Each structure stands twice: as C-alpha cells, then as structure tokens.
Amino acid sequence: MNETAELAEFVASTGEIPALAHSRLRDLFLDYIGNSAFAAARAENAPAVRAAVAELDPGDGPGTVIGEAKGYHWPYAALLNGCYAHSLDFDDTNRRQTGHPGAPVISAALAEAERSGADGGAFLDALAVGYEVSCRVGAAVGPTSYDRGFHLTSTSGIFGAVAAVAKLRGFDQPTVENAFGLALSKAAGSMQYLANGSWNKRLHPGFAAHDAIVSATLAEAGVRGASAAFEGQYGLLTGYSDDPRPAALTERLGDEWLLLETGIKPYPSCRFAHAPIDAALALRAQVPEAEREEAEIAIAIGPTAMKIVGAPTAAKLAPQSSVDAQFSVYFQVALAWLDGKVDWQSYERLHDKDVAAVIGRITTHAGNLAEHGATVTVQAGGRELSTTVTAPLGEPENWVGGTALLEKFTSLAGAVYGDQHAKKIADAVAGLRSGTDVRALARLLRLG
C-alpha cells in the first residue's frame, strides 16, 4: 500500500483505541463546547457568519449548533460549529500537526453522530481516528507549509474530519481513500488573514468540517476521488510543503497516538505566544510593581513563531483587531506584564496607552528554540532576569489539570447557559462511553 491507502485502511479497520485516548478526548470535547458556546454569544464575527448561513440554509434543520436554539442541516451545523470553535483562538492545539485538530474534526463528527444516532463509544472512536489523521497529515506536511501561506488547521484538518465521518459511517478502505482524494480538492486555508486581521481564519475549520461531510457523502455514493492524495505527484505533500515527511503519515500507526500530544490553551491567542506569556508571568512575579513600568523585555522564540507572532509589523506592534492581537506576541506579553493575566476581556484593551507603552519596550528575535518554546529576558530595577519555557501550560507534560479545565469550561459555557446547565453538559461529556446517547447530549448544547 502507499501511504494514503495505508491511512485509509487505518480509518476503516482501526484496532483497539487506548483508554487514555478516550479520556483525553472527553477533555478536548468539553473544551471545544465551552469555546464554541462563548464564541456563538460573544465573538464579534458570530452575528455576520450566522446571518450568512441563515441565508444559505433557511428554515430549521435537525443539526445542533452549540449555543443556538435554531437547528441547521448537517453540513451547515458543522460549518457554524467549526467557525465558533476557532473564533476565540482558545481551542486545542497539537504540536506535531502545528495546528488545531479539534475544531474541524469534532464539528464534522458531532454532526454525523447526531445524524446517525451513534452512541458515545462510537463517537469517541471517530474522534480518535479523526484527530490522529489530522495530526499525522499536519506532521507530514510540516511547518514549511506556513511559509507557503497555508493554514495547517484547515489543510490538514479536513482529512481528519473526513476520517471521523468515514469511521461513523463504517466506510471500507477504498471508500475512505476516495473521500481523501475528493477532500484533496477542498483542502484550503490561506494565511493572508494576517494582513488585515480578517475573519477568514475563524471560518477555516468550519469550511473544512462542511467540506468533509460533502466529500464523504460523494465518496459514499460512489464518486471516484484522486488516488495517492497525500504522496502523489500533485498530492498534498508536494503542493503544500517545502519539506514533506511522508513517513509521518504511517510510522507506528495504531501504536503511537499523536493525538495524545494535543494541548489545551489557557489563553485565547495563537499558541506560539503562550510560552512567552508563561515566561512573562513568571518574571512579573519577581519584579516589584514600581519597577515594572520601565522594564525592557526581550523575547526569543522559534523561527516559525517569529514569522507568525513575532515579526515587528504594524499589525503586531499596533494591533487594530482581536485577530491582529491574537497573533501579536507584543500585545500578549504586554497584557501579561501589566495585568497578570490574558483572557477574552483583554481584547478590550486593544487601544489602551499603557499597553502601547509596554509594546514599545519589547523586542523579539528568532532563537534556537523548540517551536512552542520561548526565552524572555527582563531588564528592571538595575537587574536582569531571564527564564525559558520549553512546554507552555496546557501541553501534555505541563497539563492544565481537571480542575483548571473545568474552571475554563464553566467560565465560558456558564456565561451562555448558566452554571447549573453548564454542569449538566460537563457531566454528560464525562459520562460519554458505549451506550450513551450523543443525540441527548447534543440537545443539551442548544439554547432554550
């Protein structure tokens, strides 16, 4: 078999999935729900996207959109959930993928599980397969894809979303392979959103989830997709990468689960800014308040992080939108230094003078660091303090923990549903397993 065929066989005939994977996926699903619910209610892009989808999908459909009362038809429910899940930039990340697997994968799987009446065990199995495919495709394409201007969350995420839907529908290997081949023509997501802080990025996982359902349905009906979708002459690896790593698609497939390297974010911003935030918070605690005002801050980050969050462009030095600010290590560290925290309310300080003053005292450079690591050095009160963070808070080896995860979920979902109803959702997610009703859980996610 070639790599595409082998990955398709994995989807069709997955062996035993580790219990740890199911446990971790419950955490990631809970995190996804909180992010989506809050974004549906509060993200500035939500009203316009909702209005557009209502025009495209008029009336009431059977599919649940988190934080809404209205139902939608399945592909549009997946589109909206995928968009909402990513709108805060607070959703899970996988360092091997260099992207966000959950937003496209869960959105497609939730729509399909609700449509088909799948139970909790089948839903978790589909998520496991979808996450694994998404992470492996991202790892195979590699971070040079960003240099070409592609958003890996979307371009690798669509294949994970296809895999999750295919698993729930019980596709055989040739049908999965056809679905991958069809999805190849829909793999898209441009980084040009960085130019003006556009909402393209927030839509990317929604587009991927929607198109995954379309691709899977076409394949199920017998439509032939391109063969060798990943490793072929004009496949994903050739078209989307300067340094393709085809072995990542299948190496130790089924034995090593890359999904277990997925992290949960404590801050609603690009993951590349999180190690600098952690470092700044640690140093802030060592500097008296009177000395913080004039502190000089130097940030060393990895080469990819430098391109995405650290380049001293106008949009990063003086962000004009929340998207600009989410991709500005200057803004993120300034907020951490001033307020001792970074949360969604931080974006209300976009144009504050004290934030701009701290940004003016921050410098960045690319260092020999892990992609998500950072070294921050502070000159304050005649002293130099420095610290290095190799694994930001939320990575598996620096896990947020169950209490912090539940607090994050409640702070987001409780603002939409109320704390009592949010607890019912959390309990239902914790109870997901074979025999539980995904449709009943989906009903809990609707408003009213």
Side-chain angles (χ1 to χ4, degrees):
M1 287 187 183
N2 60 32
E3 287 88 353
T4 301
E6 192 172 340
L7 205 56
E9 176 62 23
F10 166 76
V11 174
S13 306
T14 313
E16 185 176 354
I17 294 170
L20 178 58
H22 277 188
S23 175
R24 183 57 50 85
L25 286 163
R26 291 186 193 97
D27 288 346
L28 298 173
F29 183 38
L30 185 69
D31 189 58
Y32 165 96
I33 293 168
N35 293 325
S36 302
F38 192 87
R42 305 286 182 85
E44 67 269 42
N45 55 291
V49 174
R50 185 183 299 117
V53 172
E55 286 292 319
L56 294 166
D57 186 27
D60 197 39
T64 292
V65 170
I66 296 169
E68 293 199 22
K70 178 186 182 304
Y72 295 83
H73 292 94
W74 307 112
Y76 288 106
L79 191 159
L80 277 173
N81 281 328
C83 175
Y84 293 160
H86 198 49
S87 287
L88 307 180
D89 216 326
F90 215 179
D91 48 321
D92 62 28
T93 59
N94 185 279
R95 58 195 174 195
R96 298 284 285 273
Q97 178 198 19
T98 322
H100 302 255
V105 170
I106 297 175
S107 300
L110 180 60
E112 178 57 28
E114 188 180 15
R115 183 195 72 81
S116 64
D119 73 5
F123 176 63
L124 290 173
D125 285 350
L127 292 188
V129 168
Y131 266 75
E132 193 64 17
V133 167
S134 182
C135 295
R136 285 180 175 272
V137 172
V141 174
T144 62
S145 193
Y146 284 111
D147 298 335
R148 292 193 176 192
F150 293 112
H151 184 202
L152 269 170
T153 293
S154 181
T155 57
S156 63
I158 187 172
F159 297 101
V162 164
V165 173
K167 190 66 179 174
L168 285 164
R169 295 191 187 182
F171 286 4
D172 60 13
Q173 185 271 337
T175 308
V176 178
E177 194 170 357
N178 279 325
F180 283 158
L182 293 166
L184 175 63
S185 289
K186 302 295 287 183
S190 168
M191 296 287 287
Q192 187 61 20
Y193 63 77
L194 290 170
N196 64 336
S198 76
W199 295 340
N200 292 49
K201 179 180 190 289
R202 299 175 179 186
L203 282 161
H204 286 170
F207 289 157
H210 172 281
D211 291 348
I213 291 172
V214 173
S215 298
T217 303
L218 288 166
E220 187 175 31
V223 177
R224 184 183 301 171
S227 63
F230 302 121
E231 74 284 351
Q233 181 181 1
Y234 302 112
L236 190 81
L237 300 190
T238 299
Y240 291 66
S241 177
D242 293 332
D243 181 26
R245 307 162 186 175
L249 291 167
T250 57
E251 190 172 33
R252 300 192 64 206
L253 182 62
D255 294 323
E256 180 186 21
W257 289 82
L258 303 195
L259 75 86
L260 293 174
E261 297 186 38
T262 305
I264 284 177
K265 285 186 173 185
Y267 318 115
S269 60
C270 179
R271 188 60 162 163
F272 286 120
H274 283 215
I277 293 170
D278 288 344
L281 290 172
L283 293 175
R284 180 182 188 272
Q286 302 176 44
V287 177
E289 185 175 356
E291 296 177 4
R292 290 181 202 146
E293 188 174 341
E294 300 301 324
E296 302 283 339
I297 303 172
I299 304 170
I301 47 182
T304 301
M306 187 66 190
K307 294 170 188 173
I308 294 175
V309 302
T313 63
K316 299 187 191 308
L317 294 172
Q320 298 301 303
S321 70
S322 60
V323 177
D324 288 343
Q326 286 168 330
F327 284 82
S328 167
V329 73
Y330 305 90
F331 180 86
Q332 299 296 323
V333 167
L335 262 294
W337 190 253
L338 284 168
D339 299 343
K341 63 179 181 178
V342 178
D343 56 24
W344 189 249
Q345 286 66 44
S346 296
Y347 296 108
E348 296 173 5
R349 283 169 55 63
L350 263 177
H351 306 295
D352 287 2
K353 292 181 179 179
D354 59 341
V355 177
V358 175
I359 288 175
R361 298 195 302 275
I362 294 175
T363 58
T364 62
H365 68 277
N368 185 23
L369 292 153
E371 286 296 351
H372 289 96
T375 296
V376 174
T377 303
V378 171
Q379 303 278 352
R383 296 183 299 154
E384 179 177 289
L385 304 171
S386 184
T387 191
T388 297
V389 173
T390 57
L393 181 62
E395 290 299 304
E397 65 269 43
N398 191 14
W399 191 239
V400 292
T403 300
L405 172 61
L406 188 59
E407 287 175 353
K408 176 185 173 182
F409 168 76
T410 302
S411 71
L412 295 168
V416 178
Y417 299 107
D419 287 352
Q420 186 174 359
H421 190 81
K423 184 179 185 304
K424 289 182 181 179
I425 294 171
D427 289 344
V429 172
L432 268 177
R433 54 185 45 84
S434 295
T436 57
D437 187 351
V438 174
R439 284 178 174 167
L441 193 158
R443 286 194 293 272
L444 285 175
L445 304 181
R446 294 203 187 198
L447 281 183

